Amino acid sequence: NEGNEYFREKDYRRAVTAYTEGLKKQSEDAELSAVLHTNRGAAQFYLGNYRSALNDAIQAKKLKPTHLKAIIRGALCHMELKNFSEAIAWCEEGLRIDSKEKKLVEMRAKADKLKVNIKAQGGAAMGIDLLCERNIKLVLEPSNEEEEISDGLAEISLDGFHSDNATGAKVHLDADGNLNWPVLFLYPEHEQTDFIAAFHENSRFIDHLMVMFAELPPWDLERKYLPSNLELYFEDEERAEMYELNPEQTLLQMLQHQRYFVKAGTPTVLAFVKHSPFSKKYFSGKKVHRL
């Protein structure tokens, strides 16, 4: 109920926390657990955490295979992640339960169309204009495809910049004219990662940390990875220098830093526990620009 109240108020971060607390109780009621996963997935979806939202939809579907809300949410997540084949599969699964479900019928048609016509003409110029306006520097990786691309800018398309990340998520422009980026968080001490499929350029890092670490990850055996206990950095590989980030900063502020270069279409952030022996060792030999 608390989660639902926060959700109605569009306070999705607190809604996620509330639903997580509910799931921690490990109710034997599979129906209730399915609803909690579905609701938490919806809140994650509105925060742009499509991968986390998809994971919740998968868990809800395992608990209740005929749960249409979870299936619709999972299909929507695949659409946002541009996994159109998977979106079609989820839609078809839902349509076997209810062949007249309007959202699934419409999404199935849209996914089919996008799968066939993923790339649009004229995207490169549009992409470069958007980056120039924001003073964002992009490093274009050479194409892995067999045919040579004489102009690296050809890898930028209307629906986003070329990205080699595992999900295929790309930076995209929302209805308000803002960029949403796929962002990779690295935790070098544990060789772990978090991936946010759509990090709004005006969102702060701390807001995402609060969601990602609402529950301590299973690999954090020492229970150190609390939002208030983390330091964020980006690495200038060319100069072997590290720059500390203010968690209150937005993604756009980092991207506009004079020494930040976006590689493979995916901004990357490194997270360390404050004053940890590992971070001291990691920073040795590197020049570190602290706040």
Side-chain angles (χ1 to χ4, degrees):
N1 289 338
E2 184 180 301
N4 290 347
E5 189 61 37
Y6 284 131
F7 194 95
R8 279 192 289 272
E9 293 170 1
K10 298 186 178 181
D11 191 342
Y12 301 121
R13 184 173 63 79
R14 284 195 172 93
V16 166
T17 303
Y19 293 135
T20 299
E21 289 300 314
L23 285 163
K24 282 181 182 177
K25 301 297 180 186
Q26 297 182 327
S27 167
E28 293 180 7
D29 183 344
E31 178 93 19
L32 175 59
S33 296
V35 169
L36 283 166
H37 274 295
T38 303
N39 289 4
R40 185 172 72 174
Q44 293 276 30
F45 184 89
Y46 285 113
L47 284 166
N49 301 330
Y50 302 128
R51 180 59 55 185
S52 296
L54 178 59
N55 288 337
D56 270 321
I58 290 168
Q59 291 304 316
K61 190 155 69 79
K62 281 181 184 175
L63 290 161
K64 188 182 177 186
T66 59
H67 195 28
L68 266 181
K69 280 190 176 180
I71 292 171
I72 291 169
R73 182 63 58 198
L76 284 167
C77 290
H78 278 304
M79 290 293 288
E80 291 294 338
L81 292 167
K82 296 183 169 37
N83 300 333
F84 301 123
S85 295
E86 289 88 343
I88 290 168
W90 278 64
C91 287
E92 288 177 346
E93 187 175 349
L95 290 168
R96 284 195 290 272
I97 298 165
D98 182 355
S99 61
K100 295 180 181 177
E101 170 54 56
K102 188 180 177 185
K103 286 182 183 175
L104 291 174
V105 171
E106 291 176 351
M107 208 184 322
R108 173 73 170 78
K110 185 177 179 183
D112 260 334
K113 185 178 178 182
L114 289 170
K115 186 181 175 185
V116 173
N117 186 26
I118 290 175
K119 291 195 175 182
Q121 297 299 316
M126 177 187 176
I128 292 299
D129 287 346
L130 290 171
L131 295 180
C132 288
E133 284 172 16
R134 290 164 169 77
N135 193 28
I136 296 172
K137 297 165 288 298
L138 185 74
V139 176
L140 290 162
E141 301 288 338
S143 173
N144 292 327
E145 295 177 12
E146 289 180 12
E147 70 267 27
E148 289 186 22
I149 297 179
S150 57
D151 180 3
L153 300 184
E155 293 192 8
I156 296 176
S157 60
L158 188 63
D159 63 343
F161 305 101
H162 173 74
S163 170
D164 290 327
N165 64 60
T167 67
K170 297 179 181 180
V171 58
H172 63 272
L173 202 63
D174 63 22
D176 298 319
N178 298 303
L179 289 176
N180 291 264
W181 292 85
V183 174
L184 189 64
F185 281 79
L186 305 178
Y187 311 108
E189 183 173 1
H190 296 278
E191 297 183 347
Q192 297 288 334
T193 64
D194 267 323
F195 180 73
I196 297 175
F199 194 131
H200 190 288
E201 63 183 349
N202 293 322
S203 288
R204 302 178 306 166
F205 289 103
I206 188 63
D207 295 329
H208 284 279
L209 290 176
M210 293 296 285
V211 172
M212 291 190 294
F213 293 99
E215 282 183 275
L216 287 172
W219 45 262
D220 181 20
L221 300 177
E222 297 179 40
R223 305 177 71 81
K224 297 185 297 185
Y225 279 72
L226 303 167
S228 59
N229 202 29
L230 296 178
E231 289 180 336
L232 302 179
Y233 293 82
F234 72 81
E235 191 164 7
D236 182 345
E237 294 176 9
E238 185 184 326
R239 297 182 179 178
E241 296 179 359
M242 304 286 294
Y243 289 84
E244 186 178 1
L245 297 167
N246 184 339
E248 300 288 332
Q249 279 186 318
T250 64
L251 174 62
L252 182 59
Q253 286 174 303
M254 179 188 80
L255 297 179
Q256 290 177 328
H257 191 282
Q258 60 180 359
R259 291 304 304 167
Y260 195 87
F261 301 88
V262 180
K263 292 187 176 180
T266 306
T268 302
V269 179
L270 294 91
F272 300 88
V273 173
K274 290 178 181 176
H275 314 302
S276 69
F278 178 88
S279 65
K280 289 175 185 175
K281 184 179 177 182
Y282 189 92
F283 296 145
S284 66
K286 295 185 174 78
K287 184 175 180 181
V288 181
H289 300 269
R290 298 194 179 273
L291 293 172

